[in-house]
């Protein structure tokens, strides 16, 4: 595929701007972050309206998960950027004596950020913060499925930043693929595993460094020692926020057999407590993004045992917060990431068996474990692999900028948030600085008896 000339021109203009060195000074980066901070603050109402238009996202959820999370990342970066941008002195090697050595964080250059639709504002701008902090230029390609939010993002960036520094290109997979042909210096992708593979292949063709923030099925385990009332609240919150359309939402529950029945009851009570007896009328529950996903999710309900919920309305793309019981690993709902308000509940007889089931599947983006047993928590922590985890909570680990966020295996490569975002857009340039004198002759030919000396020198190390 050849990229349309206007996209090539955009990249070339950004390359020229980057080469001018204007994005590198700390002052510039700080100014740009502050400019964005103010712009987002001014547009709060518009952002909430856009998300409500796209998929009925409640204003509280938009504020907490799109606006506040970005603003706290910006504050964190402003506080720490002076430190991050300083060269980091490291010990020099005896063999290179005399020298002084340091690591310089060097901006990669012109980056491409491709975003997903489920947190459309935050997932496009949050990686961009890393690009800004690192001193890069960026082209953003938000999702085509959330046209109101993507349009607003484009307007906001256009109004506050020159296109040779930051710009938004709107469109779907074709536009995305045309962009992937261009000579970016860094690609940051958030989305599904299949598209992640396409992006990784495109990046590999040009050997462009790439971060992949992908998805998958994130398990949530509950053992018999867990505080079930608290677990029910934290699970219902993490699962049904954004109507279950969250990359780190608990995809399924894996419950110790002895507590499955009381947990199901508490989960049902909590759903009613949070969303009322008729969640369709709750102002706090979002809708499914489009008809395709509505049909996909509705068909998963067809042969499932509905414990709670299960109601749907195609016209408003509503699917009730739903619990599915007596689900087996072979059920269709257990074959792919659910990405919607359906929560299958499976049971396990013993923790090692549950761990074995998890480890037999692709490494998840997140893993949650509710337990009061220290030993059991240690077991799950050390015997499973996942992008990130919460013990006795769901999804909250992504809101701490001190914790790098990302997947492992098929759930992603690389990470971001806080310093990790800065690092994702920086090359760690190792620099050795040597004075002209003294110029010790040990390493230069002719070697003569120097072999004995160098052997002795290595013994001292
Ligand atoms: P998606 O992969 O369908 O789309 C993501 C982006 O890729 C969009 O901008 C889209 O236009 C583009 N795209 C789609 N098809 C493409 C193609 N063939 N070639 C090139 N680009 C293409 O994902 P989505 O439906 O927007 O998001 C849902 C998925 O993203 C879920 O799997 C979810 O778990 C994952 N996700 C992961 C994170 C994370 O941080 N790890 C966050 C949010 C969502």
């Amino acid at each position: 595929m050849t990229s349309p000339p206007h996209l090539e021109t955009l990249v070339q203009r950004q390359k020229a701007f980057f080469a001018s060195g204007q994005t590198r000074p700390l002052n510039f980066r700080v100014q740009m972050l502050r400019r964005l901070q103010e712009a987002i603050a001014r547009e709060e109402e518009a952002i909430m309206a856009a998300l409500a238009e796209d998929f009925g996202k409640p204003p509280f959820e938009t504020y907490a998960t799109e606006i506040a999370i970005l603003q706290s990342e910006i504050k964190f970066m402003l506080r720490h950027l002076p430190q991050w941008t300083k060269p980091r002195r490291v010990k020099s090697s005896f063999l290179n004596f005399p020298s002084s050595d340091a690591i310089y964080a060097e901006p990669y250059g012109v980056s491409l950020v491709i975003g997903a639709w489920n947190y459309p504002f935050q997932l496009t701008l949050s990686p961009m913060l890393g690009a800004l902090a690192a001193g890069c230029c960026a082209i953003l390609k938000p999702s085509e499925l959330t046209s109101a939010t993507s349009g607003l993002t484009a307007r906001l960036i256009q109004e506050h930043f020159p296109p040779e520094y930051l710009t938004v290109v709107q469109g779907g997979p074709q536009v995305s693929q045309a962009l992937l042909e261009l000579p970016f210096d860094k690609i940051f992708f958030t989305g599904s595993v299949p598209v992640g593979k396409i992006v990784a292949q495109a990046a590999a063709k040009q050997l462009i460094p790439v971060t992949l923030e992908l998805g998958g099925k994130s398990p949530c385990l509950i053992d018999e020692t867990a505080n079930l009332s608290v677990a029910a609240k934290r699970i219902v919150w993490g699962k049904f926020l954004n109507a279950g359309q969250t990359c780190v939402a608990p995809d399924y529950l894996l419950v110790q057999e002895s507590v499955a029945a009381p947990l199901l009851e508490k989960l049902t009570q909590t759903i009613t407590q949070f969303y009322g007896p008729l969640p369709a009328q709750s102002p706090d529950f979002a809708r499914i993004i489009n008809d395709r996903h509505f049909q996909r999710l509705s068909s998963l309900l067809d042969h499932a045992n509905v414990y709670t919920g299960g109601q749907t309305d195609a016209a408003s793309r509503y699917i009730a917060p739903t619990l599915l019981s007596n689900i087996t690993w072979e059920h269709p709902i257990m074959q792919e990431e659910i990405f919607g308000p359906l929560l299958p509940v499976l049971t396990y007889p013993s923790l090692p068996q549950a761990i074995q089931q998890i480890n037999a599947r692709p490494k998840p983006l997140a893993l949650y474990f509710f337990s009061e047993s220290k030993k059991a928590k240690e077991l799950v922590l050390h015997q499973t692999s996942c992008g990130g985890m919460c013990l006795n909570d769901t999804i909250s680990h992504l809101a701490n900028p001190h914790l790098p966020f990302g997947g492992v295996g098929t759930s992603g490569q690389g990470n971001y948030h806080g310093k990790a975002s800065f690092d994702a857009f920086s090359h760690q340039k190792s620099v050795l600085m040597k004075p002209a004198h003294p110029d010790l002759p040990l390493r230069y030919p002719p070697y003569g008896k120097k072999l004995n000396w160098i052997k002795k020198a290595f013994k001292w190390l």
Side-chain angles (χ1 to χ4, degrees), residues 187 206 256 355 362 399 415:
I187 297 172
Q206 302 189 70
Q256 192 157 11
I355 290 175
N415 39 47

Side-chain angles (χ1 to χ4, degrees), residues 114-118 123 141-145 171-173 176-177 180 189-193 195 198-199 213-216 246-247 293 337 339 365 405 411 416:
I114 301 177
W117 61 262
N118 59 325
L123 289 176
K141 210 299 283 170
S143 173
E144 69 283 12
L145 300 191
S176 198
Q177 288 186 2
L180 287 167
F189 172 78
T190 305
S192 61
V193 176
V195 180
I198 294 172
V199 172
E213 297 287 342
L214 310 177
T246 301
C247 56
H293 282 286
E337 182 180 6
F339 224 58
L365 181 59
F405 176 77
S411 58
Y416 75 133

Side-chain angles (χ1 to χ4, degrees), residues 102-414:
I103 302 165
Y104 285 72
E106 179 185 82
Y108 273 129
V110 175
S111 30
L112 171 64
V113 175
I114 301 177
W117 61 262
N118 59 325
Y119 288 81
F121 192 65
Q122 190 248 109
L123 289 176
T124 314
L125 292 197
S126 183
M128 188 194 82
L129 296 181
L132 250 84
C136 292
C137 299
I139 292 182
L140 315 180
K141 210 299 283 170
S143 173
E144 69 283 12
L145 300 191
T146 42
S147 53
T149 309
S150 300
L152 178 139
T153 308
R155 175 178 66 71
L156 185 144
I157 296 295
Q158 192 188 3
E159 280 177 11
H160 296 91
F161 301 95
E164 59 273 24
Y165 175 49
L166 293 178
T167 192
V168 175
V169 172
Q170 295 191 71
Q174 276 198 333
V175 170
S176 198
Q177 288 186 2
L179 285 164
L180 287 167
E181 295 287 317
L182 296 170
F184 285 97
D185 302 299
K186 166 80 195 185
I187 297 172
F188 192 109
F189 172 78
T190 305
S192 61
V193 176
V195 180
K197 290 180 185 171
I198 294 172
V199 172
Q201 279 176 3
K205 272 193 199 156
Q206 302 189 70
L207 290 179
I208 300 172
V210 61
T211 301
L212 301 172
E213 297 287 342
L214 310 177
K217 291 182 88 63
S218 297
C220 177
L221 280 92
I222 303 98
D223 80 1
E224 61 189 7
T225 69
N227 180 324
L228 296 185
S229 304
V230 172
K233 276 196 277 181
R234 294 179 186 175
I235 291 167
V236 169
W237 170 70
K239 176 68 185 186
F240 299 112
L241 178 89
N242 221 37
Q245 302 164 115
T246 301
C247 56
V248 285
D251 186 90
Y252 61 95
L253 300 188
L254 200 44
V255 192
Q256 192 157 11
E257 280 165 1
S258 52
V259 288
L263 181 69
L264 274 162
E265 210 167 296
K266 284 190 189 297
L267 289 166
T268 303
Q269 284 164 7
T270 310
I271 290 172
T272 310
Q273 192 188 333
F274 284 8
Y275 304 109
L278 294 171
Q281 291 172 11
S282 166
D284 300 327
F285 186 67
R287 295 300 182 258
I288 304 305
I289 183 68
N290 62 15
D291 292 339
R292 182 170 66 83
H293 282 286
F294 176 84
Q295 293 306 339
R296 177 182 65 78
L297 290 160
S298 301
S299 71
L300 287 173
L301 275 174
D302 285 349
H303 303 288
N305 183 35
V306 173
Y307 184 90
T308 298
Q311 302 81 1
T312 63
D313 174 45
S316 60
R317 299 193 309 277
Y318 166 76
I319 297 183
T322 297
L323 303 175
L324 304 170
S325 60
N326 298 325
I327 298 292
T328 62
W329 291 103
E330 291 70 38
H331 193 278
I333 203 163
M334 292 308 294
Q335 309 316 311
E336 278 183 17
E337 182 180 6
I338 299 168
F339 224 58
L342 311 179
L343 185 58
V345 180
L346 291 86
T347 57
Y348 69 81
S350 74
L351 195 55
Q353 279 164 296
I355 290 175
Q356 200 183 8
Q357 290 288 5
I358 289 168
N359 290 344
R361 289 168 172 77
K363 292 180 180 182
L365 181 59
L367 192 153
Y368 307 115
F369 183 36
F370 286 86
S371 173
E372 292 302 311
S373 157
K374 193 166 175 255
K375 202 171 143 209
K377 282 190 265 195
E378 289 287 314
L379 203 68
V380 172
L381 176 61
H382 294 295
Q383 293 195 359
T384 60
S385 177
C386 60
M389 76 192 298
C390 296
L391 295 168
N392 289 327
D393 204 359
T394 63
I395 76 172
S396 307
H397 59 300
L398 67 72
N400 177 359
H402 293 280
L403 290 175
F405 176 77
V408 59
T410 55
S411 58
Q413 285 174 18

